[in-house]
mmCIF file of all heavy atoms in Angstrom:
data_model
loop_
_atom_site.group_PDB
_atom_site.id
_atom_site.type_symbol
_atom_site.label_atom_id
_atom_site.label_comp_id
_atom_site.label_asym_id
_atom_site.label_seq_id
_atom_site.Cartn_x
_atom_site.Cartn_y
_atom_site.Cartn_z
ATOM 1 N N VAL Z 17 21.129 -15.498 3.609
ATOM 2 C CA VAL Z 17 19.956 -14.973 2.927
ATOM 3 C C VAL Z 17 18.681 -15.605 3.473
ATOM 4 O O VAL Z 17 17.671 -14.922 3.688
ATOM 5 C CB VAL Z 17 20.061 -15.216 1.403
ATOM 6 C CG1 VAL Z 17 18.750 -14.896 0.721
ATOM 7 C CG2 VAL Z 17 21.175 -14.360 0.813
ATOM 8 N N SER Z 18 18.724 -16.910 3.704
ATOM 9 C CA SER Z 18 17.525 -17.597 4.200
ATOM 10 C C SER Z 18 17.150 -17.121 5.593
ATOM 11 O O SER Z 18 15.970 -17.135 5.966
ATOM 12 C CB SER Z 18 17.760 -19.109 4.211
ATOM 13 O OG SER Z 18 18.805 -19.446 5.106
ATOM 14 N N ALA Z 19 18.161 -16.670 6.355
ATOM 15 C CA ALA Z 19 17.888 -16.178 7.698
ATOM 16 C C ALA Z 19 17.248 -14.790 7.676
ATOM 17 O O ALA Z 19 16.448 -14.451 8.553
ATOM 18 C CB ALA Z 19 19.175 -16.146 8.516
ATOM 19 N N HIS Z 20 17.610 -13.997 6.663
ATOM 20 C CA HIS Z 20 17.093 -12.622 6.590
ATOM 21 C C HIS Z 20 15.965 -12.467 5.563
ATOM 22 O O HIS Z 20 15.084 -11.635 5.734
ATOM 23 C CB HIS Z 20 18.239 -11.659 6.240
ATOM 24 C CG HIS Z 20 19.277 -11.544 7.298
ATOM 25 N ND1 HIS Z 20 20.268 -12.500 7.483
ATOM 26 C CD2 HIS Z 20 19.486 -10.602 8.243
ATOM 27 C CE1 HIS Z 20 21.045 -12.129 8.499
ATOM 28 N NE2 HIS Z 20 20.593 -10.990 8.973
ATOM 29 N N ARG Z 21 16.032 -13.232 4.481
ATOM 30 C CA ARG Z 21 14.969 -13.203 3.453
ATOM 31 C C ARG Z 21 14.874 -14.602 2.874
ATOM 32 O O ARG Z 21 15.573 -14.932 1.937
ATOM 33 C CB ARG Z 21 15.293 -12.191 2.354
ATOM 34 C CG ARG Z 21 14.174 -12.055 1.316
ATOM 35 C CD ARG Z 21 14.551 -11.034 0.247
ATOM 36 N NE ARG Z 21 15.718 -11.451 -0.509
ATOM 37 C CZ ARG Z 21 15.664 -12.279 -1.559
ATOM 38 N NH1 ARG Z 21 14.510 -12.798 -1.938
ATOM 39 N NH2 ARG Z 21 16.755 -12.600 -2.212
ATOM 40 N N PRO Z 22 14.013 -15.423 3.442
ATOM 41 C CA PRO Z 22 13.944 -16.830 3.010
ATOM 42 C C PRO Z 22 13.779 -16.972 1.501
ATOM 43 O O PRO Z 22 12.965 -16.286 0.884
ATOM 44 C CB PRO Z 22 12.705 -17.356 3.759
ATOM 45 C CG PRO Z 22 12.576 -16.458 4.956
ATOM 46 C CD PRO Z 22 13.045 -15.108 4.489
ATOM 47 N N VAL Z 23 14.599 -17.853 0.905
ATOM 48 C CA VAL Z 23 14.515 -18.139 -0.524
ATOM 49 C C VAL Z 23 13.636 -19.369 -0.696
ATOM 50 O O VAL Z 23 14.031 -20.475 -0.356
ATOM 51 C CB VAL Z 23 15.919 -18.383 -1.126
ATOM 52 C CG1 VAL Z 23 15.795 -18.683 -2.617
ATOM 53 C CG2 VAL Z 23 16.806 -17.180 -0.883
ATOM 54 N N ARG Z 24 12.444 -19.175 -1.226
ATOM 55 C CA ARG Z 24 11.501 -20.268 -1.374
ATOM 56 C C ARG Z 24 11.606 -20.881 -2.761
ATOM 57 O O ARG Z 24 11.698 -20.176 -3.766
ATOM 58 C CB ARG Z 24 10.078 -19.759 -1.152
ATOM 59 C CG ARG Z 24 9.795 -19.282 0.257
ATOM 60 C CD ARG Z 24 8.474 -18.528 0.321
ATOM 61 N NE ARG Z 24 7.446 -19.192 -0.484
ATOM 62 C CZ ARG Z 24 6.386 -18.551 -0.967
ATOM 63 N NH1 ARG Z 24 6.246 -17.254 -0.772
ATOM 64 N NH2 ARG Z 24 5.488 -19.221 -1.679
ATOM 65 N N ALA Z 25 11.582 -22.192 -2.806
ATOM 66 C CA ALA Z 25 11.669 -22.880 -4.090
ATOM 67 C C ALA Z 25 10.436 -22.631 -4.951
ATOM 68 O O ALA Z 25 10.503 -22.693 -6.180
ATOM 69 C CB ALA Z 25 11.855 -24.381 -3.862
ATOM 70 N N ASP Z 26 9.279 -22.330 -4.306
ATOM 71 C CA ASP Z 26 8.051 -22.109 -5.055
ATOM 72 C C ASP Z 26 7.770 -20.624 -5.289
ATOM 73 O O ASP Z 26 6.668 -20.254 -5.701
ATOM 74 C CB ASP Z 26 6.867 -22.749 -4.328
ATOM 75 C CG ASP Z 26 6.669 -22.174 -2.919
ATOM 76 O OD1 ASP Z 26 7.598 -21.506 -2.408
ATOM 77 O OD2 ASP Z 26 5.597 -22.400 -2.337
ATOM 78 N N ALA Z 27 8.752 -19.755 -5.033
ATOM 79 C CA ALA Z 27 8.556 -18.324 -5.244
ATOM 80 C C ALA Z 27 8.427 -18.021 -6.730
ATOM 81 O O ALA Z 27 9.006 -18.724 -7.570
ATOM 82 C CB ALA Z 27 9.732 -17.545 -4.651
ATOM 83 N N PRO Z 28 7.658 -16.970 -7.116
ATOM 84 C CA PRO Z 28 7.504 -16.624 -8.538
ATOM 85 C C PRO Z 28 8.859 -16.285 -9.155
ATOM 86 O O PRO Z 28 9.666 -15.579 -8.545
ATOM 87 C CB PRO Z 28 6.588 -15.392 -8.507
ATOM 88 C CG PRO Z 28 5.881 -15.465 -7.190
ATOM 89 C CD PRO Z 28 6.852 -16.098 -6.243
ATOM 90 N N PRO Z 29 9.151 -16.759 -10.338
ATOM 91 C CA PRO Z 29 10.441 -16.476 -10.977
ATOM 92 C C PRO Z 29 10.553 -15.000 -11.359
ATOM 93 O O PRO Z 29 9.556 -14.384 -11.755
ATOM 94 C CB PRO Z 29 10.433 -17.377 -12.211
ATOM 95 C CG PRO Z 29 8.990 -17.597 -12.509
ATOM 96 C CD PRO Z 29 8.295 -17.621 -11.179
ATOM 97 N N PRO Z 30 11.739 -14.417 -11.260
ATOM 98 C CA PRO Z 30 11.929 -13.000 -11.599
ATOM 99 C C PRO Z 30 12.010 -12.798 -13.114
ATOM 100 O O PRO Z 30 13.084 -12.535 -13.673
ATOM 101 C CB PRO Z 30 13.249 -12.661 -10.904
ATOM 102 C CG PRO Z 30 14.006 -13.949 -10.902
ATOM 103 C CD PRO Z 30 12.971 -15.035 -10.749
ATOM 104 N N VAL Z 31 10.868 -12.895 -13.793
ATOM 105 C CA VAL Z 31 10.850 -12.859 -15.259
ATOM 106 C C VAL Z 31 11.325 -11.499 -15.777
ATOM 107 O O VAL Z 31 12.169 -11.417 -16.668
ATOM 108 C CB VAL Z 31 9.442 -13.173 -15.792
ATOM 109 C CG1 VAL Z 31 9.423 -13.099 -17.311
ATOM 110 C CG2 VAL Z 31 8.992 -14.554 -15.320
ATOM 111 N N ALA Z 32 10.767 -10.407 -15.234
ATOM 112 C CA ALA Z 32 11.118 -9.068 -15.722
ATOM 113 C C ALA Z 32 12.600 -8.789 -15.531
ATOM 114 O O ALA Z 32 13.272 -8.258 -16.433
ATOM 115 C CB ALA Z 32 10.278 -8.016 -15.004
ATOM 116 N N ALA Z 33 13.146 -9.152 -14.379
ATOM 117 C CA ALA Z 33 14.565 -8.923 -14.120
ATOM 118 C C ALA Z 33 15.433 -9.771 -15.044
ATOM 119 O O ALA Z 33 16.506 -9.339 -15.477
ATOM 120 C CB ALA Z 33 14.889 -9.245 -12.660
ATOM 121 N N THR Z 34 14.967 -10.969 -15.366
ATOM 122 C CA THR Z 34 15.725 -11.846 -16.263
ATOM 123 C C THR Z 34 15.757 -11.279 -17.678
ATOM 124 O O THR Z 34 16.798 -11.284 -18.343
ATOM 125 C CB THR Z 34 15.117 -13.258 -16.269
ATOM 126 O OG1 THR Z 34 15.035 -13.751 -14.932
ATOM 127 C CG2 THR Z 34 15.967 -14.213 -17.087
ATOM 128 N N VAL Z 35 14.613 -10.783 -18.151
ATOM 129 C CA VAL Z 35 14.572 -10.169 -19.486
ATOM 130 C C VAL Z 35 15.447 -8.922 -19.528
ATOM 131 O O VAL Z 35 16.178 -8.694 -20.499
ATOM 132 C CB VAL Z 35 13.118 -9.827 -19.877
ATOM 133 C CG1 VAL Z 35 13.084 -9.066 -21.206
ATOM 134 C CG2 VAL Z 35 12.278 -11.096 -19.981
ATOM 135 N N ALA Z 36 15.393 -8.104 -18.469
ATOM 136 C CA ALA Z 36 16.224 -6.900 -18.409
ATOM 137 C C ALA Z 36 17.706 -7.250 -18.407
ATOM 138 O O ALA Z 36 18.524 -6.566 -19.048
ATOM 139 C CB ALA Z 36 15.878 -6.087 -17.163
ATOM 140 N N THR Z 37 18.056 -8.323 -17.721
ATOM 141 C CA THR Z 37 19.439 -8.796 -17.742
ATOM 142 C C THR Z 37 19.843 -9.203 -19.149
ATOM 143 O O THR Z 37 20.964 -8.946 -19.593
ATOM 144 C CB THR Z 37 19.606 -9.986 -16.776
ATOM 145 O OG1 THR Z 37 19.280 -9.571 -15.451
ATOM 146 C CG2 THR Z 37 21.029 -10.515 -16.806
ATOM 147 N N GLY Z 38 18.922 -9.843 -19.872
ATOM 148 C CA GLY Z 38 19.191 -10.210 -21.253
ATOM 149 C C GLY Z 38 19.473 -8.999 -22.119
ATOM 150 O O GLY Z 38 20.368 -9.032 -22.985
ATOM 151 N N VAL Z 39 18.751 -7.899 -21.907
ATOM 152 C CA VAL Z 39 18.989 -6.669 -22.669
ATOM 153 C C VAL Z 39 20.410 -6.174 -22.431
ATOM 154 O O VAL Z 39 21.137 -5.818 -23.376
ATOM 155 C CB VAL Z 39 17.965 -5.581 -22.277
ATOM 156 C CG1 VAL Z 39 18.337 -4.240 -22.918
ATOM 157 C CG2 VAL Z 39 16.562 -5.995 -22.696
ATOM 158 N N LEU Z 40 20.831 -6.136 -21.172
ATOM 159 C CA LEU Z 40 22.189 -5.694 -20.842
ATOM 160 C C LEU Z 40 23.231 -6.591 -21.485
ATOM 161 O O LEU Z 40 24.221 -6.111 -22.058
ATOM 162 C CB LEU Z 40 22.365 -5.676 -19.319
ATOM 163 C CG LEU Z 40 23.759 -5.320 -18.804
ATOM 164 C CD1 LEU Z 40 24.148 -3.909 -19.237
ATOM 165 C CD2 LEU Z 40 23.824 -5.460 -17.285
#
């Protein structure tokens, strides 16, 4: 993943996706 889409420690957290996961 880091080679194709770097995962940054300071990237904005996926708040909307996390809330949507909570709904499911």
Side-chain angles (χ1 to χ4, degrees):
V17 170
S18 63
H20 294 79
R21 184 180 63 84
V23 180
R24 294 168 42 203
D26 60 345
V31 179
T34 306
V35 175
T37 300
V39 172
L40 176 62

